[in-house]
Amino acid sequence: MTGTALSRSARTSDAPRSVMLAAAAFVVALLAGAGEALARVAMTLERSDADLSGLALGLAVRGAIYLFVFAVVVRMTRGDRMARLALALGLGVLGLASLLVEPLTSLAADGLDLSVTPSSLALGSLRTIHVLAVLVAIPAMYASGAREYFARRATP
């Protein structure tokens, strides 16, 4: 039964702890990102001029992206080096940049705003969890045990 879905799923059992830590951290990042998106939608729905179709489309696109990233994370746990590289570049570089640009440009334009609302606290907490999870996941994918694991997977 080699090559079946069942035998492929068993391969993650030999993934080192650092690879599984990276996968768990990426799942936390995805959940935090989904939570932030839902919170922003909920906040927008409170306004009378909320664009329901635009919000629905935005959530659908984000959902599709999050599912795709989750699939890449699963491939990474199975030793796929291209998945590891895609996660490092996509989430470690582009994703982190997109998470940090908004607050940094706001800080540069408006200065330090110390007014805290429940909404801003929730959004800030989710964004912080998201960033920290990615900062845990990226180095974990490149720890020594992980490097050996991906090197073994590359050899036929």
Side-chain angles (χ1 to χ4, degrees):
M1 283 187 75
T2 59
T4 65
L6 184 59
S7 66
R8 276 190 219 120
S9 67
R11 284 193 255 166
T12 61
S13 64
D14 65 341
R17 188 179 197 118
S18 60
V19 171
M20 298 314 292
L21 171 64
F26 280 130
V27 168
V28 168
L30 287 170
L31 291 172
E36 183 181 352
L38 290 172
R40 287 187 185 278
V41 166
M43 290 168 46
T44 304
L45 286 174
E46 291 177 354
R47 297 191 329 234
S48 61
D49 63 340
D51 175 17
L52 297 180
S53 62
L55 290 172
L57 179 62
L59 279 179
V61 169
R62 281 187 182 275
I65 291 169
Y66 290 159
L67 286 173
F68 176 77
V69 170
F70 180 75
V72 175
V73 169
V74 170
R75 289 190 57 102
M76 182 269 304
T77 63
R78 294 181 178 163
D80 186 328
R81 291 179 0 166
M82 291 306 294
R84 179 175 73 157
L85 180 62
L87 290 168
L89 294 176
L91 298 182
V93 177
L94 299 175
L96 277 178
S98 72
L99 291 171
L100 297 174
V101 163
E102 178 193 347
L104 291 176
T105 54
S106 177
L107 178 65
D110 304 330
L112 186 59
D113 182 9
L114 296 178
S115 62
V116 177
T117 65
S119 298
S120 68
L121 186 61
L123 291 174
S125 297
L126 288 167
R127 177 76 54 106
T128 301
I129 290 167
H130 194 154
V131 168
L132 291 175
V134 172
L135 291 175
V136 166
I138 299 298
M141 288 192 309
Y142 288 92
S144 63
R147 284 194 308 270
E148 294 165 7
Y149 175 70
F150 288 105
R152 275 196 320 262
R153 293 292 188 186
T155 57

